[in-house]
Amino acid sequence: MRVRAREMGIEIGSMKPGRYNAITDVRGVAVGHSTIIEGEGPLIVGEGPVRAGVTAILPRQAGIYEEKVRAAAYPYNAYGKAVGLLQVMHMGVIETPILLTDTLNTWRVADALIDYMYEVLGVEATSINPVVGETNGSYLNDSVGRHVGKEHVYEALDEAFSPSGTGPVEEGNVGGGTPMSGFEFKGGIGTSSRVTPEFTLGVLVQVNFGRREDLRIDGVPVGKELADVKPRKAQKSGSVIVVVATDLALSSRQLWKVARRAILGVARTGSYGSVHSGDFVIAFSTSEKDVEPLAEGGEDRKQSSSKKHGLDESYLNLVYRATVEATEEAVINALFKAETMIGRDYNTRVAIPLDRVREIMSRYGRL
Amino acid sequence: MRVRAREMGIEIGSMKPGRYNAITDVRGVAVGHSTIIEGEGPLIVGEGPVRAGVTAILPRQAGIYEEKVRAAAYPYNAYGKAVGLLQVMHMGVIETPILLTDTLNTWRVADALIDYMYEVLGVEATSINPVVGETNGSYLNDSVGRHVGKEHVYEALDEAFSPSGTGPVEEGNVGGGTPMSGFEFKGGIGTSSRVTPEFTLGVLVQVNFGRREDLRIDGVPVGKELADVKPRKAQKSGSVIVVVATDLALSSRQLWKVARRAILGVARTGSYGSVHSGDFVIAFSTSEKDVEPLAEGGEDRKQSSSKKHGLDESYLNLVYRATVEATEEAVINALFKAETMIGRDYNTRVAIPLDRVREIMSRYGRL
Amino acid sequence: MRVRAREMGIEIGSMKPGRYNAITDVRGVAVGHSTIIEGEGPLIVGEGPVRAGVTAILPRQAGIYEEKVRAAAYPYNAYGKAVGLLQVMHMGVIETPILLTDTLNTWRVADALIDYMYEVLGVEATSINPVVGETNGSYLNDSVGRHVGKEHVYEALDEAFSPSGTGPVEEGNVGGGTPMSGFEFKGGIGTSSRVTPEFTLGVLVQVNFGRREDLRIDGVPVGKELADVKPRKAQKSGSVIVVVATDLALSSRQLWKVARRAILGVARTGSYGSVHSGDFVIAFSTSEKDVEPLAEGGEDRKQSSSKKHGLDESYLNLVYRATVEATEEAVINALFKAETMIGRDYNTRVAIPLDRVREIMSRYGRL
Amino acid sequence: MRVRAREMGIEIGSMKPGRYNAITDVRGVAVGHSTIIEGEGPLIVGEGPVRAGVTAILPRQAGIYEEKVRAAAYPYNAYGKAVGLLQVMHMGVIETPILLTDTLNTWRVADALIDYMYEVLGVEATSINPVVGETNGSYLNDSVGRHVGKEHVYEALDEAFSPSGTGPVEEGNVGGGTPMSGFEFKGGIGTSSRVTPEFTLGVLVQVNFGRREDLRIDGVPVGKELADVKPRKAQKSGSVIVVVATDLALSSRQLWKVARRAILGVARTGSYGSVHSGDFVIAFSTSEKDVEPLAEGGEDRKQSSSKKHGLDESYLNLVYRATVEATEEAVINALFKAETMIGRDYNTRVAIPLDRVREIMSRYGRL
């Protein structure tokens, strides 16, 4: 049976996860998936086999366009097709759900998101900036066939907008993560969160990166130990999309700094940021509070009489830590929850063998 | 009759234009338009009236994907939806035609471009990075209806790929520029070029920006002089897309610097880079030559024995000048060639009155 | 007699300047110069002739370090040595006076600024981020001799901190601008401002750029008309430093956007952003008010009940306009107020002949 | 006795180090230190105690200015004062030695470097772009006293220019690293390298970052295990400077990508990129070869007949791996080689206890 990292006893970092240990621990954030698994055998472009889907992340369930959330985007290695990020970087807000999918479906998924904004959400505007992230699932999927249609986008969004959207998040071979790989095992969607008295921060990742021998779980070289079950066909390239949500009132400048930290969490699992990767981070704050004045220029602005000299954004250090920890754990969760999948042309990605992981972690003094 | 700036005797700058005074003066570059003008009267979303289209710019007619061109992108004010630019910025190449259209059609146009890459060009790949620019034509067009379909994308591309694609370029109310405005006159597509013994550089713009009173033609405050025919309804916002092509062997780093100069040409026509603008520049080199070593690190690298001290990219200054001049002239050409258009809800943009422009330019000592 | 542009009747743009038409129209901003003009004849490195100096701009006269001002920096063409800008870009604040000088003095001027922060201002901290801009005055100055010492830094700062620091600003051959050139005429320091009921914005420039034939004054090709008095030795390269101050409560994100507009004003005077230029803009806000919530995410955040759809930073458009106008006028003021200077090796930069400018402007219908 | 990581049997990653396991394994690269350790007891600003210095890294020993090396800079968290990086980012070359020092000495060190360029290296130019990095050593050093003078800069440079400069590199409490801390132990200078048949890559770091409990050595949570010897006074903030050298012919664009990877190596040791950190990476190539054409646009440019579709910079993946591994090991070497130091006001940083580290690594199955 597939378990999450924490269920195996692996506790990444020192901070506490939230109720679901998911991005939905951030109040108001919702997630929905649409998963397409159809056909088997040789690839016939346009017919299948299909291993694809869409994952929808809502910064809020109500008034997404009208009450935009403060946001930032960070392209770490921009060999990728993500849509909408330049405007996010410039304006500092997100005004639509965030969708994740398989590379070549990116633009039709963006177009269907526009449909949804008008048809379902009733937005009135002549300008909407859809945000869509992607990784390349063509090892298992008929990617060129572009099988993700408007109906799948609507399904993922409908689920996210439903009451269950704010609950636990399904991981592994679901939604945009359906055909993805991780460290030459099966990858996909993973999530995790961290909670403090002051804030909650959640992360959702779409994992499609990594070479087997580089995999580290909480610092343990699990990948090297599992080199014996390495597939003959190496994972050629690979990308990761990270979405970070928090309820802390951060400015877009601060969210940009937070987004940059997510990559540190990815690094700890064994990423070198490969040449062919499209690694992007999107971070947003659900807070409707005005940004604290110390967000720009530090505590000094408030306490000039105290003649303090530093720029006191020190409280961000804990936010950075939460981001790194939750990202690292979300990546591991994606691997742990993904199940073996056979795709087009019988290409196969096996699930990481959890029994052996348990044994290795134990041998290295971690369990 | 509508004439181009130079036909009126206005010569922007000091350098010479090419044969067509168009981006197609750069050998191999081709342009095609698909223009949709249908219906009139009140706006019924999804029905019309339609004033839209697609403009296709080919960096080369053969082997676009297989022999990528070196390129750069520069977001000047990124309140825009342009697709594909982050990868261009990161990898330094363009691998598809560049399409320009009306905002809300951006993603379906990108998706149709993917179709074309597979169906018509026979590309074999699971990753393609389409490049699409946009400005917002909703003052005249049923933008929300998104009327630009696959057939229009194919039409524009087919025209660009045809023998006539490398010839003179139609300007004004064509292609992506169909519904656009400029300085509260009718705007649209414009182009211009500059030629030296060493290189040719061409610019194509999609003009949708500017307040009437700010319009300057070769430094003359024409906009103020034409304030009497200012429309009651001001142009709320506005954007410009600039595409720069050259046959000089430039590195993507250098093309990025060239792209930044295009905005100086836009500035000279009277832009302040408005808050609501999505102003992007895309620059590419058609040269298949390896980048000259002095492209990175200067002449010194070659002539160390001569103990030269500077980084000698001085030859770029002329490229910058060509870029600024051609961009300025392309914007004016867009205005000059555009004709009065009545769009949805009888919204009207009148063509700039050329007789009065001639009189003003003359009065200010320019003709 | 040297006059400013406006005294000749040249009114750039449509907005009104402040009392002094200077950066000091922004309440609290102060300026001081230290000018060194010593020796004549052949260059003897380390001895002279010296044509150099320092210009100090104070965002506020009291509590500069303790109450940092929100700020942004924009490197337009970064072949320059400006100190401190990366931290300004990252933190969004300035915590010292801004100094301008001749290239090779940059670091000793920065070091002397640190002295001043401790010795005169009594700052208590182990980290201070000095901000120093520079252009290259070696055509007239013994630049390699680095003659700007601690005493000159102190003199400029003392003047800025004195009551007269907030008054009219001396222009031309003063302070950091002492040896600089502009369009192959004598350049230097220039300033201008714009005032509205809501805000004041001021600009100070150190002009050291431009080719003769490119000079435009309010759009009139004055440089071409003055090509007959072009010096035999062309101005090889050239840079400009622009400092923008406003009392409007802008976030550092917004100030960054404002900084980008300054270059549009520079462009209108005839700059192509040459290869060898170090063109930097620094913008700051003197407002101690918290940043308006609409600074991040738009009016919507406040008025969600009104379901407004746009990001309403529209009020920034007027700030952009003020920036472009004041920058353009400041450049012209630098030229107009600078007097002919003979420097090292009898190198000479003549002052722009104002009588001829008057005649040209008149002939082109502007006076 | 202090040993390096590898001498204890800790082998970070899978690639082989060079002869010295140092940045000087890259042919031509040289290093020199000047170390100042004077006085003890209470801090008297301007008198001491002094714990400071300068480290000089030469990209080449001959013709540094005349034959500039291709380079890139990457500001990860730019709360720092590093000098010269904006021009490096813009031009893509370094033209001076790289110096590392204590924060407040940055500008006088830069000024002394200018002296050296003229006086010792005989450079003829009116524009030089010195590159200086810094971290804040004020916990142990009289930083405000700024004790690093021209003589120390010359000493470090002279050593680097001497024959021994290209040999083994001293680590720990030397040069710029003299007063620095790491994970609340004593930090300082560390270095490491990786060698393949195709290239050598070396890294030198100045370590001044990290919280005790976050320290990981090759993935083992050594910091938590050593929490019992945590100092009462926490390390408040902290920064790291990373210098990466390679003999592979990389373009500045590629070096920028390499520079970004160094941070992944830092992350693996336990960094969260703290709010108060000035984390910068500088990367350069010593190769005088022209940049391979595939550096810009991929293998396709060469092999268009083979109709390859990807951008083949795959060989960079090994460079990225070398960068991450060598950076991680260099940080650990800095800690291992640093000795306990008592500084101003008897502030003390103890050396990491290597016996306990050996025991912990062993217990976690690594030795």
Side-chain angles (χ1 to χ4, degrees):
Chain A
M1 210 200 89
R2 312 299 300 173
V3 297
R4 306 180 79 191
R6 208 160 277 264
E7 291 167 340
M8 190 187 276
I10 300 169
E11 301 191 355
I12 307 280
S14 57
M15 299 176 67
K16 297 289 170 215
R19 178 179 177 191
Y20 302 125
N21 192 13
I23 196 171
T24 48
D25 287 322
V26 180
R27 182 183 294 271
V29 174
V31 174
H33 301 295
S34 172
T35 306
I36 324 169
I37 299 178
E38 290 171 7
E40 54 185 37
L43 171 68
I44 303 174
V45 171
E47 295 196 4
V50 187
R51 304 287 183 272
V54 186
T55 293
I57 300 122
L58 311 185
R60 66 176 79 211
Q61 286 185 311
I64 287 183
Y65 185 83
E66 295 76 12
E67 305 187 45
K68 306 172 200 304
V69 294
R70 283 188 288 257
Y74 173 56
Y76 178 68
N77 198 68
Y79 183 63
K81 283 74 185 168
V83 158
L85 300 194
L86 278 169
Q87 181 166 325
V88 171
M89 292 160 82
H90 186 78
M91 300 303 287
V93 293
I94 285 180
E95 62 190 24
T96 69
I98 299 160
L99 302 185
L100 307 180
T101 191
D102 186 37
T103 301
L104 288 167
N105 295 292
T106 300
W107 311 282
R108 55 181 58 184
V109 161
D111 194 54
L113 174 52
I114 295 293
D115 285 328
Y116 198 91
M117 298 298 285
Y118 286 120
E119 293 175 8
V120 180
L121 301 185
V123 166
E124 290 174 21
T126 63
S127 175
I128 297 175
N129 185 50
V131 175
V132 184
E134 53 75 36
T135 57
N136 188 327
S138 60
Y139 184 70
L140 297 177
N141 182 39
D142 171 21
S143 291
V144 176
R146 284 177 287 159
H147 295 276
V148 184
K150 180 173 168 176
E151 66 275 24
H152 307 108
V153 171
Y154 275 49
E155 185 183 47
L157 285 165
D158 285 347
E159 183 181 311
F161 276 105
S162 76
S164 70
T166 56
V169 174
E170 213 180 337
E171 297 171 298
N173 304 350
V174 291
T178 302
M180 303 306 164
S181 303
F183 297 95
E184 303 175 59
F185 289 117
K186 186 67 190 66
I189 299 292
T191 188
S192 184
S193 70
R194 291 296 182 271
V195 176
T196 74
E198 288 74 31
F199 69 88
T200 298
L201 182 143
V203 170
L204 184 145
V205 296
Q206 181 166 307
V207 169
N208 193 42
F209 73 96
R211 280 181 25 170
R212 170 63 50 83
E213 54 269 43
D214 296 333
L215 173 62
R216 298 205 155 219
I217 298 182
D218 200 17
V220 174
V222 172
K224 275 183 192 158
E225 298 282 343
L226 293 174
D228 57 321
V229 290
K230 190 172 149 75
R232 278 160 314 199
K233 190 164 180 181
Q235 183 162 357
K236 197 176 122 195
S237 68
S239 307
V240 66
I241 304 293
V242 184
V243 179
V244 182
T246 183
D247 56 6
L248 193 64
L250 299 181
S251 72
S252 58
R253 166 186 288 273
Q254 293 173 316
L255 288 164
W256 173 74
K257 293 175 184 176
V258 168
R260 293 165 74 86
R261 267 64 191 182
I263 291 299
L264 305 186
V266 173
R268 289 174 193 198
T269 66
S271 168
Y272 293 85
S274 91
V275 166
H276 294 94
S277 70
D279 299 334
F280 296 94
V281 185
I282 298 163
F284 62 84
S285 161
T286 60
S287 171
E288 297 184 34
K289 268 190 275 183
D290 294 346
V291 176
E292 297 291 329
L294 72 170
E296 294 275 3
E299 204 171 335
D300 289 340
R301 302 193 63 79
K302 263 185 145 170
Q303 308 188 351
S304 58
S305 61
S306 72
K307 298 286 181 202
K308 289 196 61 174
H309 303 139
L311 299 175
D312 203 356
E313 286 185 321
S314 298
Y315 68 100
L316 279 183
N317 280 330
L318 197 58
V319 183
Y320 293 167
R321 181 176 299 274
T323 304
V324 176
E325 288 190 6
T327 303
E328 185 176 352
E329 187 163 330
V331 170
I332 303 306
N333 281 340
L335 295 177
F336 274 33
K337 292 296 285 183
E339 300 188 13
T340 296
M341 177 175 277
I342 303 172
R344 58 108 175 158
D345 296 324
Y346 303 105
N347 281 351
T348 303
R349 284 286 180 227
V350 300
I352 190 169
L354 295 182
D355 286 349
R356 291 196 56 189
V357 172
R358 193 176 285 109
E359 179 273 324
I360 296 163
M361 295 303 287
S362 188
R363 180 148 45 87
Y364 277 85
R366 299 301 175 84
L367 291 181
Chain B
M1 212 199 90
R2 312 299 300 174
V3 297
R4 306 181 78 192
R6 209 160 276 264
E7 290 166 340
M8 191 189 275
I10 299 169
E11 301 190 355
I12 306 279
S14 56
M15 298 176 68
K16 296 290 169 213
R19 178 178 177 193
Y20 302 125
N21 192 14
I23 196 171
T24 48
D25 288 321
V26 180
R27 182 184 295 271
V29 174
V31 174
H33 300 296
S34 172
T35 306
I36 323 169
I37 298 179
E38 290 169 7
E40 55 185 35
L43 171 68
I44 303 174
V45 171
E47 296 195 6
V50 186
R51 304 287 182 273
V54 186
T55 292
I57 300 122
L58 311 186
R60 67 175 79 210
Q61 285 185 312
I64 288 185
Y65 185 84
E66 294 77 14
E67 306 188 45
K68 305 172 200 305
V69 294
R70 283 188 287 257
Y74 173 55
Y76 178 67
N77 198 69
Y79 182 64
K81 282 76 186 169
V83 157
L85 300 193
L86 279 169
Q87 181 166 324
V88 171
M89 292 159 81
H90 186 79
M91 300 302 288
V93 294
I94 285 180
E95 61 190 25
T96 70
I98 299 161
L99 302 185
L100 307 180
T101 191
D102 186 36
T103 301
L104 289 168
N105 296 292
T106 300
W107 311 283
R108 54 181 57 184
V109 161
D111 194 55
L113 174 53
I114 295 294
D115 285 328
Y116 198 92
M117 298 297 286
Y118 286 120
E119 293 176 6
V120 180
L121 301 186
V123 166
E124 290 174 21
T126 61
S127 175
I128 297 175
N129 185 49
V131 174
V132 183
E134 54 75 35
T135 57
N136 188 326
S138 61
Y139 184 69
L140 296 177
N141 182 39
D142 170 21
S143 291
V144 176
R146 286 177 287 160
H147 296 275
V148 184
K150 180 173 169 177
E151 66 275 25
H152 307 108
V153 170
Y154 275 50
E155 185 184 47
L157 285 165
D158 286 347
E159 185 181 309
F161 277 104
S162 77
S164 71
T166 56
V169 174
E170 213 181 337
E171 297 172 299
N173 303 350
V174 291
T178 303
M180 304 305 164
S181 303
F183 297 95
E184 302 174 59
F185 289 118
K186 187 66 190 65
I189 299 292
T191 188
S192 184
S193 71
R194 292 296 182 271
V195 176
T196 74
E198 289 75 30
F199 68 88
T200 298
L201 183 143
V203 170
L204 184 144
V205 297
Q206 181 165 306
V207 169
N208 194 41
F209 73 96
R211 280 181 24 169
R212 171 62 50 84
E213 54 270 41
D214 296 332
L215 173 62
R216 297 203 156 222
I217 298 182
D218 200 17
V220 174
V222 171
K224 275 182 192 157
E225 297 282 343
L226 293 174
D228 56 322
V229 290
K230 189 172 149 74
R232 279 159 313 197
K233 191 164 180 182
Q235 183 162 356
K236 195 177 125 195
S237 69
S239 307
V240 66
I241 305 292
V242 185
V243 179
V244 182
T246 184
D247 56 7
L248 194 64
L250 299 181
S251 72
S252 57
R253 166 187 289 273
Q254 293 174 317
L255 288 164
W256 173 74
K257 293 176 184 176
V258 167
R260 292 165 74 86
R261 267 65 191 182
I263 291 299
L264 305 186
V266 173
R268 290 175 193 197
T269 66
S271 168
Y272 294 85
S274 90
V275 166
H276 294 94
S277 70
D279 299 335
F280 296 93
V281 185
I282 297 163
F284 62 85
S285 162
T286 61
S287 171
E288 297 183 36
K289 267 190 278 186
D290 294 345
V291 176
E292 297 291 331
L294 73 170
E296 292 276 2
E299 204 171 336
D300 289 339
R301 302 192 62 80
K302 264 186 144 167
Q303 309 189 352
S304 58
S305 61
S306 71
K307 298 287 181 202
K308 290 198 59 174
H309 304 138
L311 300 175
D312 203 355
E313 286 185 320
S314 298
Y315 68 98
L316 279 184
N317 281 329
L318 197 59
V319 183
Y320 293 167
R321 181 177 299 274
T323 304
V324 176
E325 289 190 6
T327 302
E328 185 176 351
E329 186 163 332
V331 170
I332 304 304
N333 281 340
L335 295 177
F336 275 33
K337 293 295 285 184
E339 301 189 13
T340 296
M341 177 176 278
I342 303 173
R344 58 107 176 159
D345 297 324
Y346 304 106
N347 281 352
T348 303
R349 285 287 179 225
V350 301
I352 190 169
L354 295 181
D355 287 351
R356 290 197 55 190
V357 171
R358 193 176 284 109
E359 179 272 324
I360 295 163
M361 295 302 287
S362 188
R363 180 147 47 85
Y364 277 86
R366 299 300 174 85
L367 292 182
Chain C
M1 210 200 88
R2 312 299 300 173
V3 297
R4 307 181 77 193
R6 207 160 277 264
E7 289 167 341
M8 191 189 274
I10 300 169
E11 302 190 353
I12 307 281
S14 56
M15 299 176 69
K16 297 288 170 215
R19 178 178 176 192
Y20 302 124
N21 192 15
I23 196 171
T24 49
D25 288 322
V26 180
R27 181 184 295 271
V29 174
V31 174
H33 300 295
S34 172
T35 306
I36 322 169
I37 298 179
E38 290 170 8
E40 55 186 36
L43 172 67
I44 303 173
V45 171
E47 295 196 6
V50 187
R51 304 286 184 274
V54 186
T55 293
I57 300 122
L58 312 184
R60 67 176 77 210
Q61 286 185 310
I64 287 186
Y65 185 84
E66 295 75 14
E67 305 187 44
K68 306 171 199 306
V69 294
R70 283 188 289 257
Y74 173 56
Y76 178 67
N77 197 70
Y79 182 62
K81 282 74 184 168
V83 157
L85 300 193
L86 279 168
Q87 181 166 325
V88 171
M89 293 160 81
H90 186 78
M91 299 304 287
V93 294
I94 285 179
E95 61 190 25
T96 69
I98 299 161
L99 302 185
L100 307 180
T101 191
D102 186 35
T103 301
L104 288 167
N105 296 291
T106 300
W107 311 282
R108 56 180 58 184
V109 161
D111 193 55
L113 175 52
I114 295 292
D115 285 327
Y116 198 92
M117 298 298 286
Y118 287 119
E119 294 176 6
V120 181
L121 301 186
V123 166
E124 292 174 20
T126 63
S127 176
I128 297 176
N129 185 50
V131 175
V132 183
E134 53 75 35
T135 57
N136 188 326
S138 61
Y139 184 69
L140 298 177
N141 183 38
D142 170 21
S143 291
V144 175
R146 285 176 288 160
H147 297 274
V148 185
K150 180 172 167 176
E151 66 275 24
H152 307 108
V153 171
Y154 274 49
E155 185 184 48
L157 285 165
D158 286 347
E159 183 181 311
F161 276 104
S162 77
S164 70
T166 57
V169 174
E170 213 181 337
E171 297 171 297
N173 303 351
V174 291
T178 303
M180 304 304 164
S181 304
F183 297 95
E184 304 175 58
F185 288 119
K186 186 67 190 65
I189 299 292
T191 188
S192 183
S193 71
R194 292 295 183 271
V195 176
T196 74
E198 288 75 30
F199 68 88
T200 298
L201 182 143
V203 170
L204 184 144
V205 296
Q206 181 165 307
V207 169
N208 193 41
F209 73 96
R211 281 183 22 171
R212 170 63 50 82
E213 53 269 42
D214 296 332
L215 173 62
R216 299 205 154 218
I217 298 181
D218 200 17
V220 174
V222 171
K224 275 183 193 157
E225 298 282 343
L226 293 173
D228 56 321
V229 290
K230 190 174 151 73
R232 279 161 311 199
K233 189 164 180 183
Q235 183 161 358
K236 196 177 121 195
S237 68
S239 307
V240 67
I241 304 292
V242 185
V243 179
V244 183
T246 183
D247 57 6
L248 195 63
L250 299 180
S251 72
S252 57
R253 165 186 289 273
Q254 293 173 317
L255 287 163
W256 174 73
K257 293 176 183 176
V258 167
R260 293 165 74 86
R261 266 65 192 182
I263 291 299
L264 305 185
V266 173
R268 290 175 193 197
T269 66
S271 168
Y272 294 84
S274 90
V275 166
H276 295 93
S277 70
D279 299 334
F280 296 93
V281 185
I282 298 163
F284 63 84
S285 161
T286 61
S287 172
E288 297 183 35
K289 268 191 274 184
D290 294 344
V291 176
E292 298 290 329
L294 73 169
E296 292 275 4
E299 203 171 335
D300 290 340
R301 302 194 62 81
K302 262 186 146 169
Q303 308 189 352
S304 58
S305 61
S306 71
K307 300 286 180 200
K308 289 197 61 174
H309 304 138
L311 299 174
D312 204 356
E313 286 185 320
S314 297
Y315 68 100
L316 278 184
N317 280 329
L318 197 58
V319 183
Y320 293 167
R321 181 177 299 274
T323 304
V324 177
E325 289 190 6
T327 303
E328 185 176 351
E329 187 164 331
V331 171
I332 304 306
N333 281 340
L335 295 177
F336 275 33
K337 292 296 285 184
E339 300 189 15
T340 296
M341 178 176 277
I342 302 172
R344 58 109 175 157
D345 296 323
Y346 304 105
N347 281 352
T348 302
R349 284 286 180 228
V350 300
I352 189 169
L354 294 181
D355 285 349
R356 290 196 56 190
V357 171
R358 194 176 284 110
E359 179 272 325
I360 295 163
M361 295 303 288
S362 188
R363 180 149 44 88
Y364 277 86
R366 297 302 175 83
L367 292 181
Chain D
M1 210 201 88
R2 311 300 300 174
V3 297
R4 306 181 78 192
R6 208 160 275 264
E7 290 167 339
M8 190 189 277
I10 299 170
E11 302 190 354
I12 306 280
S14 55
M15 299 176 68
K16 297 288 170 215
R19 178 178 178 193
Y20 303 124
N21 193 13
I23 196 170
T24 48
D25 288 321
V26 180
R27 181 184 294 271
V29 174
V31 174
H33 301 295
S34 172
T35 305
I36 323 168
I37 298 179
E38 291 170 7
E40 54 185 38
L43 172 68
I44 302 173
V45 171
E47 296 196 4
V50 187
R51 304 287 182 273
V54 186
T55 292
I57 299 123
L58 312 185
R60 67 175 78 210
Q61 286 185 310
I64 288 185
Y65 185 84
E66 295 76 12
E67 305 187 46
K68 306 172 200 303
V69 295
R70 283 189 287 259
Y74 173 56
Y76 178 67
N77 198 70
Y79 182 64
K81 283 73 184 168
V83 157
L85 300 194
L86 279 168
Q87 181 166 325
V88 172
M89 292 159 81
H90 186 78
M91 300 303 287
V93 293
I94 285 181
E95 62 191 23
T96 70
I98 299 160
L99 303 185
L100 307 180
T101 191
D102 186 37
T103 301
L104 289 167
N105 295 292
T106 301
W107 312 282
R108 55 181 58 184
V109 161
D111 194 54
L113 174 53
I114 295 293
D115 285 328
Y116 198 92
M117 297 298 286
Y118 287 120
E119 294 175 6
V120 180
L121 301 186
V123 166
E124 291 174 20
T126 62
S127 176
I128 297 177
N129 185 49
V131 175
V132 184
E134 53 76 35
T135 57
N136 188 327
S138 60
Y139 184 69
L140 297 177
N141 183 40
D142 170 21
S143 291
V144 176
R146 285 177 287 159
H147 296 275
V148 185
K150 180 172 168 175
E151 66 275 24
H152 307 107
V153 170
Y154 274 49
E155 185 183 47
L157 285 165
D158 286 347
E159 183 181 310
F161 276 105
S162 77
S164 71
T166 57
V169 174
E170 212 181 339
E171 296 171 297
N173 303 351
V174 291
T178 303
M180 305 305 164
S181 304
F183 297 95
E184 303 174 59
F185 289 118
K186 186 67 189 67
I189 299 293
T191 188
S192 183
S193 71
R194 291 296 182 271
V195 176
T196 74
E198 288 75 31
F199 68 88
T200 299
L201 182 142
V203 170
L204 184 145
V205 297
Q206 181 165 306
V207 169
N208 194 41
F209 72 96
R211 279 181 24 170
R212 170 63 49 83
E213 54 269 43
D214 296 334
L215 173 62
R216 300 205 154 218
I217 298 182
D218 200 16
V220 174
V222 171
K224 275 184 192 158
E225 298 282 343
L226 293 174
D228 56 322
V229 289
K230 190 173 150 73
R232 278 159 314 196
K233 191 164 180 182
Q235 184 161 358
K236 196 176 124 196
S237 66
S239 306
V240 66
I241 305 293
V242 185
V243 179
V244 182
T246 183
D247 57 6
L248 194 63
L250 299 181
S251 71
S252 57
R253 165 186 288 274
Q254 293 174 316
L255 287 164
W256 174 74
K257 293 175 184 176
V258 168
R260 293 164 73 85
R261 266 65 190 182
I263 291 299
L264 304 186
V266 173
R268 289 175 193 197
T269 65
S271 167
Y272 293 85
S274 91
V275 166
H276 294 94
S277 70
D279 300 334
F280 296 93
V281 185
I282 297 163
F284 62 84
S285 161
T286 61
S287 171
E288 297 183 36
K289 267 191 276 184
D290 294 345
V291 176
E292 298 290 329
L294 72 171
E296 293 274 0
E299 202 171 337
D300 289 339
R301 303 193 62 81
K302 263 188 147 168
Q303 309 190 351
S304 58
S305 61
S306 72
K307 299 285 181 203
K308 288 197 61 173
H309 303 139
L311 300 175
D312 203 356
E313 287 185 319
S314 298
Y315 68 99
L316 279 184
N317 281 328
L318 197 59
V319 183
Y320 294 167
R321 180 178 300 273
T323 305
V324 176
E325 288 190 8
T327 303
E328 186 176 350
E329 187 164 331
V331 171
I332 303 306
N333 281 340
L335 296 177
F336 274 33
K337 293 295 284 183
E339 301 188 14
T340 296
M341 177 175 278
I342 303 173
R344 58 109 175 157
D345 296 324
Y346 305 104
N347 280 351
T348 303
R349 285 285 181 227
V350 300
I352 190 169
L354 294 182
D355 286 349
R356 290 197 57 188
V357 171
R358 194 175 285 110
E359 178 272 324
I360 296 164
M361 295 302 288
S362 188
R363 179 148 45 88
Y364 276 87
R366 298 303 174 82
L367 291 182

